[in-house]
Amino acid sequence: MTAAHITVEHLTMAYGDFVIQRDLNFTIGRGEVFIVMGGSGCGKSTLLKHLIGLQQPAKGEVFYDKQNFWSADAEQRLQVMRRIGVLYQSGALFSSLTLAENIALPLGEFTALTKAEIADMVSYKLALVGLAGFEDYYPAEISGGMQKRAGLARAMALDPEILFFDEPSAGLDPVSARLLDDLIISLRDTLGTTIVAVTHELASIFAIGTDSVFLDSDSKTMLATGNPKQLLAESEDPRIIQFLTRGQGRGGR
Ligand SMILES: Nc1ncnc2c1ncn2[C@@H]1O[C@H](COP(=O)(O)OP(=O)(O)O)[C@@H](O)[C@H]1O
Ligand SMILES: [Mg+2]
């Protein structure tokens, strides 16, 4: 187990009085590819919002290293948020801006880099995601898989220590989804970035996940945390086995 990057303690998440998940406890280690899994509507995206500063816990704590994220003052919380990159399902690029302009946005806003330095940084990030030379393309001119990678380049613009993905391969064909998985792993390996990914794609869960948490919507809490392959091999919980085998059982794969 690597050093803890994020620690979640006794976290309860709710919308108003409606509890989505209660008493979540798990640790995300540095350099892990941590998967948030569970059926549709169990609270995966909601959990991500609690980790990136968009939604406050009803109860419990989120720590970044030793720092209590939600009891810190707003300025300290912003400092932590600047170390985070987020890639949403849609990629969320601005359609009226070129790829270079999209990626330059956070650099212009949050750094003191000159225009020339920003242009260099933009080209470097595009090259990292396999889009060297696509600076002047508009999002509509490239494929869905390339849009996701451009979104990833933007999420990485500020050299985040942690990258969050919500359903990164949603809407992609299997080949593009595989390429995106490979890219996520190579970024982790070359940059040492901690990755937290929401997904229910079994192929991705087993291909890239080194650790995970499994949320259950019926019991409104987590059923397990650990390496997904190990959970599949060793879990005694039929709900986990059902999810990890698409209902086929351990013998069915
Ligand atoms: N803004 C919101 N207000 C009230 N309920 C919400 C809101 N967002 C999501 N929910 C509810 O919270 C539950 C978990 O949603 P979500 O975190 O999006 O699930 P998942 O990402 O696992 O599919 C769902 O029942 C959803 O309807
Ligand atoms: Mg979701």
Side-chain angles (χ1 to χ4, degrees), residues 88-91 142-148 166-178 180 198-201 204:
Y88 294 99
Q89 196 168 319
S90 59
I142 59 176
S143 72
M146 292 162 87
Q147 288 174 10
K148 292 269 165 101
D166 197 347
E167 307 274 1
S169 47
L172 293 183
D173 62 87
V175 173
S176 303
R178 263 285 307 278
L180 192 65
V198 168
T199 181
H200 53 234
E201 298 282 338
S204 292

Side-chain angles (χ1 to χ4, degrees), residues 13-16 18-21 36-49 55 89 166-167 198 200 215 217 220:
M13 317 189 290
Y15 291 100
F18 189 71
V19 172
I20 306 295
Q21 287 280 321
V36 179
M37 55 189 182
S40 179
C42 68
K44 303 182 295 296
S45 296
T46 302
L47 176 58
L48 226 55
K49 287 188 210 159
Q55 194 176 341
Q89 196 168 319
D166 197 347
E167 307 274 1
V198 168
H200 53 234
L215 306 183
S217 50
K220 295 186 188 289

Side-chain angles (χ1 to χ4, degrees), residues 83-106:
R83 290 152 48 196
I84 289 173
V86 186
L87 178 64
Y88 294 99
Q89 196 168 319
S90 59
L93 296 166
F94 290 104
S95 58
S96 61
L97 301 180
T98 65
L99 300 191
E101 289 165 344
N102 265 287
I103 296 161
L105 268 186

